[in-house]
Amino acid sequence: MNNGHYTDPTFERLFAQINPQIASTFTDKQIEALKKAFSYNKSSRHFLDIRVSIPIPRLEFYLVLLAGSERRSQNRLRSEKGLYPFWTLSNSLFIIGFSIILLICSFTILSFILSSLNLTSTLYYPTSIPWISDKSECEYTNRVWRDDKCWDYKHSPNF
């Protein structure tokens, strides 16, 4: 039935389901008209078309994400609204899970970016060092002994 021409796999699958006695009655023109009806139409392509199978053991799972300009009629939109309601339990769980993952990833990335910016302060604050109680030890560490305390005048708040 292929006759050396490319045929849409969807057409091939559907045509194979037709009773062979009925399929044999189709003329070449009718078969070509059916192929044309099933053929790939570039104008029907979506701006965003992601189709992926997700390998989860013991589950046959796939994800399709389509986006583009709306070309469906108002009648079709109304009829599909009843066939494919948006707020179902599984859709809601997916949206909640996806939102949590997105929030965690965003927080992690933002934390990484902020930590890599190395936001060190150039301001220093005088601070007494409580674990040094000896003048010689204080001066040995390049600090100042005053009022019986060891003072560090270059103490960074990031310490």
Side-chain angles (χ1 to χ4, degrees):
M1 189 205 53
N2 199 337
N3 300 339
H5 295 91
Y6 172 76
T7 306
D8 186 350
T10 305
F11 173 76
E12 292 283 351
R13 231 179 11 261
L14 290 173
F15 196 81
Q17 292 177 8
I18 297 174
N19 182 324
Q21 290 175 338
I22 295 172
S24 66
T25 64
F26 289 141
T27 66
D28 287 343
K29 280 189 172 188
Q30 288 171 326
I31 292 173
E32 287 304 314
L34 287 171
K35 283 182 183 180
K36 186 175 181 183
F38 278 95
S39 71
Y40 178 71
N41 185 354
K42 289 187 180 184
S43 67
S44 69
R45 287 207 61 183
H46 294 85
F47 173 74
L48 179 67
D49 188 345
I50 300 172
R51 300 163 192 257
V52 5
S53 292
I54 300 172
I56 299 175
R58 288 185 253 158
L59 288 176
E60 294 179 17
F61 189 75
Y62 68 95
L63 179 69
V64 176
L65 180 61
L66 301 173
S69 59
E70 183 63 76
R71 294 185 296 254
R72 295 175 291 178
S73 70
Q74 290 299 317
N75 287 338
R76 182 174 170 194
L77 286 171
R78 276 192 295 277
S79 68
E80 285 183 356
K81 196 173 197 175
L83 290 174
Y84 308 108
F86 184 77
W87 292 112
T88 62
L89 178 62
S90 56
N91 288 357
S92 300
L93 291 174
F94 175 79
I95 290 169
I96 290 168
F98 182 77
S99 298
I100 289 170
I101 291 170
L102 185 64
L103 187 66
I104 291 169
C105 291
S106 298
F107 178 75
T108 304
I109 291 169
L110 186 63
S111 298
F112 178 74
I113 289 171
L114 288 177
S115 69
S116 68
L117 290 177
N118 197 10
L119 300 173
T120 56
S121 174
T122 57
L123 299 174
Y124 297 110
Y125 301 93
T127 305
S128 76
I129 310 298
W131 58 87
I132 299 179
S133 57
D134 182 303
K135 179 181 179 181
S136 63
E137 187 180 347
C138 178
E139 290 173 349
Y140 177 75
T141 58
N142 294 323
R143 295 181 175 109
V144 175
W145 185 260
R146 194 183 85 215
D147 300 327
D148 290 330
K149 292 183 181 175
C150 186
W151 290 89
D152 184 351
Y153 286 96
K154 294 184 179 180
H155 182 76
S156 170
N158 296 327
F159 174 66

